[in-house]
């Protein structure tokens, strides 16, 4: 009878150990599938955004917290795209404005030089060191 109790106890212990190992493996696989893989995918998406790859596809199909975070990454990517478009437009118009302002400044400088050269009055500027500035009227 004692041997039977001992055998039954060992059998129950072995069964419990195998069950614990099986459950641990199952929980580990579920954790990997449910948590680790989606987090890794989000990390890759964040790395792609950080490196400037705005065309990388972000999986937004999940309907949990990780899916919400993926939607946030997608919104951030779209906002960055819009900001880049605005910056490109500003750069393009800035070059046009610089050309326009340069032409206006050149015209004003020419007008001032024409006035100085054709006015029947002597005009000059004395700068520091009692030196006459090089731009003065001809009269």
């Amino acid at each position: 009878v004692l041997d039977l109790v001992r055998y039954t106890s060992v059998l129950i212990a072995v069964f419990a150990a195998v069950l614990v190992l099986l459950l641990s493996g199952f929980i580990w696989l579920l954790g990997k599938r449910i948590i680790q893989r989606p987090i890794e995918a989000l990390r890759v998406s964040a790395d792609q955004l950080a490196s400037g790859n705005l065309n990388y596809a972000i999986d937004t199909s999940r309907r949990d917290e990780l899916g919400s975070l993926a939607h946030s990454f997608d919104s951030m990517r779209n906002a960055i795209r819009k900001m880049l478009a605005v910056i490109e437009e500003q750069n393009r118009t800035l070059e046009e404005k610089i050309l326009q302002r340069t032409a206006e400044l050149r015209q004003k400088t020419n007008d001032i030089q024409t006035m100085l050269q054709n006015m029947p009055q002597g005009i000059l500027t004395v700068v520091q060191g009692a030196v006459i500035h090089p731009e003065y009227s001809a009269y």
Side-chain angles (χ1 to χ4, degrees):
V1 173
L2 191 57
D3 287 338
L4 184 61
V5 170
R6 188 176 301 142
Y7 175 75
T8 304
S9 298
V10 168
L11 189 61
I12 290 172
V14 167
F15 179 74
V18 168
L19 185 62
V20 165
L21 286 174
L22 286 175
L23 282 174
S24 298
F26 181 71
I27 291 171
W28 179 79
L29 285 174
L30 275 179
K32 188 168 181 79
R33 184 172 186 272
I34 293 173
I35 297 171
Q36 188 177 8
R37 285 183 189 160
I39 288 176
E40 179 64 19
L42 283 175
R43 187 195 62 73
V44 168
S45 297
D47 288 345
Q48 290 295 321
L49 286 176
S51 69
N53 184 1
L54 300 179
N55 296 321
Y56 186 80
I58 299 173
D59 180 16
T60 58
S61 63
R62 294 180 61 98
R63 300 288 172 231
D64 57 4
E65 292 81 7
L66 294 175
S68 176
L69 187 58
H71 279 285
S72 295
F73 280 153
D74 194 47
S75 296
M76 180 175 57
R77 177 184 60 183
N78 292 333
I80 290 170
R81 282 180 177 161
K82 288 177 185 175
M83 286 182 217
L84 287 175
V86 167
I87 289 170
E88 286 175 14
E89 176 65 18
Q90 288 176 343
N91 283 341
R92 188 184 60 76
T93 59
L94 179 63
E95 290 175 11
E96 292 172 6
K97 286 179 182 177
I98 288 172
L99 292 173
Q100 179 185 1
R101 294 290 199 296
T102 302
E104 291 171 0
L105 180 61
R106 185 176 298 118
Q107 181 61 43
K108 286 184 180 185
T109 302
N110 289 340
D111 291 347
I112 292 171
Q113 282 300 323
T114 301
M115 275 193 304
L116 283 174
Q117 298 308 317
N118 293 310
M119 121 182 349
Q121 189 172 14
I123 298 178
L124 59 93
T125 304
V126 178
V127 294
Q128 191 172 17
V131 175
I132 295 175
H133 192 274
E135 293 180 2
Y136 51 87
S137 67
Y139 191 77

